[in-house]
Amino acid sequence: MKFFLFTFVGVHLLSLNSGKAIYKNDISQRTFQEIKEEIAHYGDVAKAIINLAVYGKAQNRSYERLALLVDTVGPRLSGSKSLEKAIQIMYQNLKEDGLENVHLEPVKIPHWERGEESAVMLEPRMHKMAILGLGSSIGTPPEGITAEVLVVTSFDELQRRAPEARGKIVVYNQSYNNYSRTVQYRVHGAVEAAKAGALASLIRSVASFSIYSPHTGVQEYQDDVPKIPTACITVEDAEMMSRMVSHGSRIVIQLKMGAKNYPDVDSFNTVAEVIGSKYPEQVVLVSGHLDSWDVGQGAMDDGGGAFISWEALSLIKDLGLHPKRTLRLVLWTAEEQGGVGAFQYYQLHKTNISKYSLVMESDSGAFLPSGLQFTGSEKARAIMKEVMNLLQPINITQVFSAGEGTDINFWIQAGVPGASLLDDLYKYFSFHHSHGDTMTIMDPKQMNVAAALWAVVSYVIADLEEMLPRS
């Protein structure tokens, strides 16, 4: 990931650890010790937020709000009527909650539908397979594609065996190392198989655990490579076919997919604010995405992240707190298609990039967080560590690296500090993009804690006398 760094004319950032001034100009001569003392004064406010969220009248509120939406609307695929219904419901919810400047910002988003789909093993025995077509995949002919299977465990193996792939269905049985590495097979598997002349590709689900559950997600075609249908299969079926071919069996599959791509449609990013009392033009952005895939309920990905972000502003409003900077909630649309709504938001608002102190996104579940992931200058990191010390009452104080998120990466790459929750990723990727992403896996007590952390961090950063320093 490429970054470029902002330089501020007339402002020289010096070492925090040395105790010298952070800014050496006519405006600010504050030492790091002074900033530490300023942050320490927020101890009582942090406790009040934690008490309200975890023990007070607001406990379980984010869970109950989320359950009502996802039980009413269900999954919210980009381009679907259910997503637009959810956006309109959230617009009304935020207005009724008493937040300020509630509005919708129009964007264009992709529209893809999976249709009916099936995969049946015909040889060496009959076996109906569980599959989920991958986002933006084309469909098969109505009669389907019936072909022999080539099983590979890596792109390297596919390249070595490319002559064998022509006219076949390529099955990827890659091992799961971590999500960022393994997801490349889902994203690029169809293109690499098509380069070798394959008729279709089936990818082992990118999941940390499986109970015969396919996991969908986005995939990408390449303009100069033929488009072939592509779907994910279960870990169990991928491993079984790998064993079968190792024993010399010939596998034949009939694949049918009714997937279709349609022209882009109108949608909205949903915005609400607590307007700053002293520097209203400066912003701390708090966010999650409202869209999901079309399976399960999208409760975890990313209903939980969206609703603890809403809850953060609710908690601050309920306590009568008025941060110096504006706290802006954005519920993104079409994140699952590659941050489509977030990119258009960035294009619209990037002229004010110098006014953004911190961009935050929760999109790794809303379970019990281990801490905060942060990307920014070392000076800003030192400040974030002091802020996280305010979370000692709930024993979550660590600051980790890698604060990036799909929807906030545009800002981070342009030099704005970014933060995300570090959550239980093993649990997250067990249910990610699957039928299992429902309210059943959400825990109200864990959501309370996540919301408290999110609210404390966003409020304190928004209320400090100075913005977070950039590199």
Side-chain angles (χ1 to χ4, degrees):
M1 193 166 294
K2 296 179 181 178
F3 296 86
F4 63 89
L5 305 177
F6 273 66
T7 301
F8 292 85
V9 177
V11 178
H12 303 283
L13 303 181
L14 303 177
S15 171
L16 284 173
N17 296 329
S18 68
K20 297 179 181 178
I22 295 179
Y23 299 92
K24 188 177 181 181
N25 57 19
D26 294 336
I27 299 173
S28 178
Q29 294 288 337
R30 306 181 71 214
T31 66
F32 181 50
Q33 183 60 37
E34 290 172 334
I35 292 176
K36 284 181 65 174
E37 292 171 359
E38 180 188 8
I39 294 170
H41 288 153
Y42 288 96
D44 289 342
V45 173
K47 289 177 183 177
I49 292 172
I50 291 167
N51 287 337
L52 179 60
V54 179
Y55 310 110
K57 66 177 183 179
Q59 64 177 315
N60 303 345
R61 182 169 61 185
S62 59
Y63 175 91
E64 291 164 0
R65 286 170 164 176
L66 174 62
L68 181 59
L69 180 81
V70 301
D71 289 344
T72 301
V73 176
R76 304 166 300 282
L77 182 65
S78 174
S80 69
K81 291 181 180 179
S82 60
L83 173 59
E84 298 317 304
K85 181 179 180 181
I87 290 171
Q88 294 301 324
I89 290 173
M90 287 305 302
Y91 172 73
Q92 290 300 324
N93 286 344
L94 297 172
K95 290 184 70 175
E96 291 171 7
D97 193 33
L99 296 177
E100 301 170 281
N101 195 24
V102 178
H103 64 280
L104 301 176
E105 298 190 0
V107 294
K108 288 283 189 180
I109 63 172
H111 180 198
W112 171 85
E113 296 179 7
R114 73 173 59 255
E116 296 295 321
E117 55 190 14
S118 65
V120 180
M121 181 187 293
L122 304 177
E123 299 179 28
R125 64 178 176 87
M126 291 291 294
H127 171 55
K128 186 176 181 180
M129 303 168 62
I131 69 165
L132 284 174
L134 295 177
S136 79
S137 175
I138 64 170
T140 64
E143 68 275 13
I145 294 172
T146 302
E148 187 178 345
V149 161
L150 172 67
V151 181
V152 297
T153 59
S154 67
F155 289 138
D156 289 340
E157 182 181 357
L158 176 61
Q159 290 179 353
R160 292 195 305 269
R161 302 179 65 186
E164 301 175 56
R166 183 165 299 278
K168 294 181 181 178
I169 297 173
V170 168
V171 170
Y172 292 93
N173 182 38
Q174 76 284 349
S175 61
Y176 182 85
N177 298 310
N178 58 53
Y179 182 76
S180 61
R181 184 178 303 173
T182 311
V183 76
Q184 301 306 316
Y185 288 89
R186 191 193 75 206
V187 175
H188 303 298
V191 165
E192 295 305 316
K195 288 178 182 177
L199 301 178
S201 64
L202 297 173
I203 291 93
R204 169 178 167 153
S205 288
V206 183
S208 51
F209 178 77
S210 179
I211 49 171
Y212 202 71
S213 50
H215 297 239
T216 189
V218 73
Q219 65 87 37
E220 296 176 358
Y221 287 125
Q222 196 170 302
D223 289 341
D224 57 346
V225 178
K227 296 179 180 180
I228 62 174
T230 182
C232 59
I233 59 176
T234 66
V235 170
E236 292 86 345
D237 279 340
E239 291 185 343
M240 179 183 69
M241 286 188 281
S242 186
R243 292 192 301 271
M244 284 178 164
V245 296
S246 71
H247 297 147
S249 297
R250 177 178 182 266
I251 302 174
V252 175
I253 288 177
Q254 182 186 63
L255 176 66
K256 291 184 178 180
M257 293 174 60
K260 290 184 179 179
N261 288 281
Y262 298 91
D264 288 356
V265 299
D266 294 324
S267 186
F268 304 92
N269 291 316
T270 309
V271 183
E273 294 178 338
V274 173
I275 296 175
S277 60
K278 186 174 182 180
Y279 310 114
E281 75 285 356
Q282 297 178 9
V283 175
V284 170
L285 186 148
V286 185
S287 69
H289 66 88
L290 200 53
D291 66 299
S292 72
W293 285 103
D294 56 335
V295 292
Q297 292 183 300
M300 177 192 73
D301 184 17
D302 180 36
F307 275 68
I308 67 164
S309 295
W310 172 17
E311 183 66 14
L313 269 68
S314 288
L315 292 167
I316 291 162
K317 175 188 66 68
D318 290 350
L319 287 169
L321 299 172
H322 301 284
K324 296 181 180 72
R325 282 171 204 84
T326 294
L327 272 172
R328 180 175 298 162
L329 168 69
V330 183
L331 304 178
W332 310 109
T333 190
E335 182 276 344
E336 296 292 2
Q337 285 62 43
V340 175
F343 176 70
Q344 292 173 68
Y345 176 90
Y346 175 72
Q347 292 296 108
L348 182 65
H349 294 276
K350 65 182 180 181
T351 54
N352 297 317
I353 196 166
S354 65
K355 302 299 184 182
Y356 281 70
S357 182
L358 178 67
V359 288
M360 302 168 62
E361 179 177 18
S362 175
D363 188 19
S364 296
F367 306 128
L368 188 66
S370 303
L372 191 77
Q373 293 177 280
F374 180 76
T375 296
S377 68
E378 285 305 310
K379 302 162 187 64
R381 176 177 294 275
I383 292 171
M384 294 302 292
K385 287 181 178 179
E386 295 302 317
V387 173
M388 285 298 291
N389 283 335
L390 299 171
L391 278 300
Q392 287 180 1
I394 54 175
N395 198 31
I396 303 172
T397 60
Q398 293 192 77
V399 177
F400 302 91
S401 60
E404 290 81 8
T406 299
D407 295 308
I408 59 174
N409 280 347
F410 311 107
W411 300 90
I412 293 173
Q413 290 171 16
V416 179
S420 59
L421 286 179
L422 180 60
D423 224 312
D424 183 347
L425 295 182
Y426 182 88
K427 181 177 182 180
Y428 181 75
F429 289 117
S430 296
F431 298 99
H432 181 247
H433 296 180
S434 77
H435 288 287
D437 182 357
T438 68
M439 284 304 299
T440 298
I441 62 173
M442 305 304 291
D443 184 319
K445 292 182 173 60
Q446 294 182 355
M447 287 187 70
N448 294 341
V449 173
L453 187 159
W454 219 222
V456 168
V457 171
S458 59
Y459 173 76
V460 173
I461 296 301
D463 200 54
L464 290 177
E465 186 57 38
E466 294 176 351
M467 292 175 62
L468 286 177
R470 304 184 190 181
S471 297

